Amino acid sequence: MIDPCAPPEAEAVFLYGARRLLMVLHAAGSIVLVGASTHHALTMRHYLRDRFIRVSTEKTWAKVVAVAYVFTFAVGAMLYPTYRYHVRGIYLDRYAPLYSGLFDVKEVYASLTLVVALGLGALAFTLRPSEERWLVRIYAVMSFLVCGVVWLNVTLGILVTSVRGLG
């Protein structure tokens, strides 16, 4: 059966045929990322009170955040050419420019926060919170920043997809 919405071969976009699988993987990565970043941020409330309980669990959450962030970001980057042409170029820029702009905001924050998420994961290997208390506040701010941006990106991603998905 021929897909009537598929572009002609001359106009094929990178990984267009894998868009649904990539979208499912991107969503799954986002679910893991929301959970891990939220758990990690909630753990930071104890750290800010100088109560260093469940340190190994906290470090595991930080590592999961870093890996899930990189995975979700990479899969999103693979989806981007299809989104750019089929969703933004053909529909959003013309009929829903506000949502096109929201997606740009989402991408900027996601790109900038990638470095913070990687730093959070790296610090999880070396940080000794009871000995390096001066670093705990910075570590907590990094956790809160990553968690906030993840929630923002998930919310904006759902909003944009509700207007026009990849199909």
Side-chain angles (χ1 to χ4, degrees):
M1 184 168 186
I2 297 173
D3 181 2
C5 297
E9 278 193 43
E11 296 178 22
V13 177
F14 181 66
L15 295 175
Y16 177 79
R19 71 193 180 283
R20 290 186 179 105
L21 172 63
L22 291 172
M23 193 67 160
V24 168
L25 291 174
H26 189 61
S30 298
I31 291 167
V32 171
L33 188 52
V34 163
S37 65
T38 302
H39 276 83
H40 193 264
L42 289 173
T43 303
M44 290 298 101
R45 73 186 191 276
H46 300 298
Y47 274 37
L48 291 174
R49 294 182 185 133
D50 290 331
R51 293 188 350 224
F52 306 111
I53 56 175
R54 299 187 183 126
V55 173
S56 63
T57 304
E58 172 275 315
K59 289 179 180 281
T60 301
W61 284 124
K63 293 170 189 173
V64 170
V65 167
V67 170
Y69 203 104
V70 169
F71 174 81
T72 305
F73 189 88
V75 173
M78 289 188 276
L79 275 168
Y80 188 76
T82 299
Y83 160 79
R84 180 72 177 101
Y85 180 80
H86 291 281
V87 177
R88 183 174 179 178
I90 293 175
Y91 187 83
L92 290 181
D93 285 344
R94 185 175 303 151
Y95 301 109
L98 172 67
Y99 291 92
S100 182
L102 288 177
F103 190 86
D104 288 344
V105 167
K106 170 189 172 317
E107 292 305 298
V108 167
Y109 282 114
S111 299
L112 294 173
T113 308
L114 175 64
V115 176
V116 180
L118 288 172
L120 194 66
L123 277 173
F125 285 100
T126 61
L127 180 67
R128 295 179 309 272
S130 59
E131 297 172 24
E132 301 168 321
R133 292 183 182 193
W134 64 273
L135 192 53
V136 168
R137 293 197 190 290
I138 295 168
Y139 188 63
V141 168
M142 291 169 70
S143 177
F144 298 145
L145 179 68
V146 169
C147 185
V149 168
V150 164
W151 275 99
L152 174 72
N153 283 350
V154 166
T155 304
L156 293 179
I158 290 169
L159 284 173
V160 170
T161 303
S162 72
V163 172
R164 180 74 176 189
L166 288 173

